């Protein structure tokens, strides 16, 4: 499979961001961790062994610990730098270093979008889950940084007569749901939440993306240096098209949430076609049944 994302470059930029930490730049991860806590709180059961896969920070593992719903928690990161002084496993991206049916809960926050084989990763997660084990994951989805993408493409086309991709492609929520089914996960659910963040200028947004380690890691990214003229024109287009009345610009981040269970005989099954006791026609025609 031809890779789209240069995961080595993505990891290098994540390490650089960690080494030069900027306060507040982790706002998306903190929001994802808060959402994870809410979603776990809605699950009325406890789990044996849980794993937090490639979350880059201890945020997900901390949520698992604070929830009291996991008896054992393992962290897996692609680089020891992300573990700091915490205990955990180091494994290559896009791998799940656990035996089949050895985990009861798997979570992943904001890393799946940087993987070239999302279906393969989900299949590995499904294999590692025990029957009736749960997967919860969040990834950046379609619509993320759409304003930045449009502004950069417009400026490059205007100045150079052509454009190259500068923002990675993101998964649509409908495709994400299909990927859960393809991986063999039962009761699949995919939903999306769009977070809109406002900045004074495009350059402030770019500074946040660098601080997150989330600048472009496309294999086919443009090698043309981002000149002052190009960036200035992109900033002008951004302000013209995506600013509020007070002059501040908007940046969209779409977070797609995935959940699915390893199949188990105890799970609720859909009714077989034709097994209904009352026809839809009867219900619609009888007001007392509505």
């Amino acid at each position: 499979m031809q890779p789209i994302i240069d995961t080595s470059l993505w990891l290098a930029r994540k390490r650089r961001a960690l080494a030069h930490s900027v306060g507040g730049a982790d706002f998306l991860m903190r929001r994802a961790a808060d959402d994870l806590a809410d979603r776990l709180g809605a699950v009325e059961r406890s789990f044996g062994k849980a794993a937090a896969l490639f979350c880059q920070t201890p945020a997900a593992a901390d949520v698992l610990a604070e929830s009291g719903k996991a008896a054992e928690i393992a962290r897996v990161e692609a680089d020891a730098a992300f573990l700091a002084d915490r205990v955990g496993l180091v494994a290559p991206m896009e791998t799940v270093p656990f035996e089949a049916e050895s985990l009861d809960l798997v979570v992943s926050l904001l890393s799946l979008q940087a993987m070239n084989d999302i279906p393969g990763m989900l299949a590995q997660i499904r294999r590692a889950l025990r029957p009736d084990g749960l997967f919860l994951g969040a990834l950046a989805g379609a619509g993320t940084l759409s304003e930045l993408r449009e502004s950069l493409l417009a400026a490059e086309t205007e100045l150079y007569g052509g454009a190259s991709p500068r923002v990675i492609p993101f998964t649509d929520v409908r495709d994400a749901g299909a990927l859960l089914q393809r991986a063999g996960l039962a009761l699949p659910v995919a939903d999306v939440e769009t977070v809109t963040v406002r900045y004074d200028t495009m350059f402030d947004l770019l500074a946040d993306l660098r601080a997150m380690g989330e600048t472009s890691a496309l294999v086919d990214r443009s090698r043309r240096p981002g000149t002052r003229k190009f960036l200035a024109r992109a900033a002008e287009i951004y302000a013209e098209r995506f600013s509020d009345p007070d002059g501040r610009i908007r940046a969209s981040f779409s977070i797609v949430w995935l959940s699915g269970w390893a199949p188990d005989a105890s799970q609720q099954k859909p009714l077989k076609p034709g097994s209904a006791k009352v026809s839809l026609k009867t219900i619609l025609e009888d007001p007392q049944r509505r």
Side-chain angles (χ1 to χ4, degrees):
M1 182 179 66
Q2 183 66 30
I4 297 173
I5 310 297
D6 185 338
T7 50
S8 295
L9 178 60
W10 184 79
L11 285 170
R13 288 178 171 166
K14 288 290 182 178
R15 287 193 296 268
R16 182 181 64 187
L18 179 65
H20 304 282
S21 178
V22 175
D26 62 342
F27 64 91
L28 283 179
M29 181 60 75
R30 287 187 282 108
R31 186 180 184 112
D34 289 343
D35 286 348
L36 175 63
D38 291 341
R39 290 167 188 266
L40 272 177
V43 179
E44 297 181 352
R45 58 165 289 186
S46 296
F47 301 90
K49 185 173 182 178
L53 299 181
F54 307 112
C55 298
Q56 313 142 53
T57 79
D62 289 346
V63 167
L64 291 173
E66 291 165 6
S67 74
K69 292 196 172 186
E72 180 183 352
I73 302 166
R75 275 188 68 193
V76 180
E77 297 293 354
D79 193 292
F82 302 133
L83 292 169
D85 59 349
R86 302 281 189 107
V87 175
L89 302 173
V90 176
M93 285 280 284
E94 306 195 34
T95 63
V96 180
F98 296 96
E99 296 293 327
E101 298 189 5
S102 62
L103 300 173
D104 300 289
L105 172 64
V106 173
V107 301
S108 177
L109 297 185
L110 302 183
S111 65
L112 283 170
Q113 75 277 354
M115 298 184 185
N116 287 294
D117 187 10
I118 298 176
M121 186 65 180
L122 292 176
Q124 290 184 68
I125 290 171
R126 158 69 184 87
R127 177 180 177 274
L129 284 170
R130 293 190 179 101
D132 208 30
L134 173 63
F135 167 63
L136 284 172
L139 69 156
T144 296
L145 298 175
S146 57
E147 303 91 349
L148 178 63
R149 183 198 305 271
E150 181 177 326
S151 301
L152 292 174
L153 287 175
E156 193 169 13
T157 301
E158 177 184 311
L159 295 175
Y160 305 118
S164 54
R166 292 179 179 271
V167 177
I168 69 172
F170 296 104
T171 303
D172 181 83
V173 64
R174 291 166 294 185
D175 295 333
L179 291 177
L180 290 170
Q181 292 181 309
R182 177 177 168 183
L185 289 162
L187 308 175
V189 176
D191 60 90
V192 63
E193 178 187 7
T194 299
V195 180
T196 302
V197 185
R198 303 204 313 147
Y199 293 92
D200 289 336
T201 70
M202 185 190 79
F203 298 103
D204 298 296
L205 167 60
L206 294 178
D208 254 6
L209 293 176
R210 282 192 296 271
M212 295 178 196
E214 289 290 356
T215 49
S216 177
L218 284 165
V219 170
D220 293 330
R221 64 193 178 279
S222 174
R223 265 54 174 186
R224 179 187 291 129
T227 64
R228 184 176 300 178
K229 180 179 180 181
F230 164 62
L231 292 175
R233 181 57 186 139
E236 289 175 355
I237 293 172
Y238 203 130
E240 290 166 2
R241 299 184 184 181
F242 305 109
S243 63
D244 289 329
D246 62 1
R248 304 190 78 198
I249 62 167
R250 303 181 301 277
S252 298
F253 297 90
S254 296
I255 308 302
V256 174
W257 274 94
L258 307 175
S259 71
W261 298 79
D264 184 73
S266 67
Q267 291 166 352
Q268 183 178 358
K269 303 293 191 299
L271 294 174
K272 293 181 180 179
S275 63
K277 302 297 184 182
V278 181
S279 71
L280 178 61
K281 180 175 182 293
T282 300
I283 293 175
L284 292 176
E285 291 177 350
D286 185 353
Q288 293 183 352
R289 290 183 176 270
R290 294 179 189 174

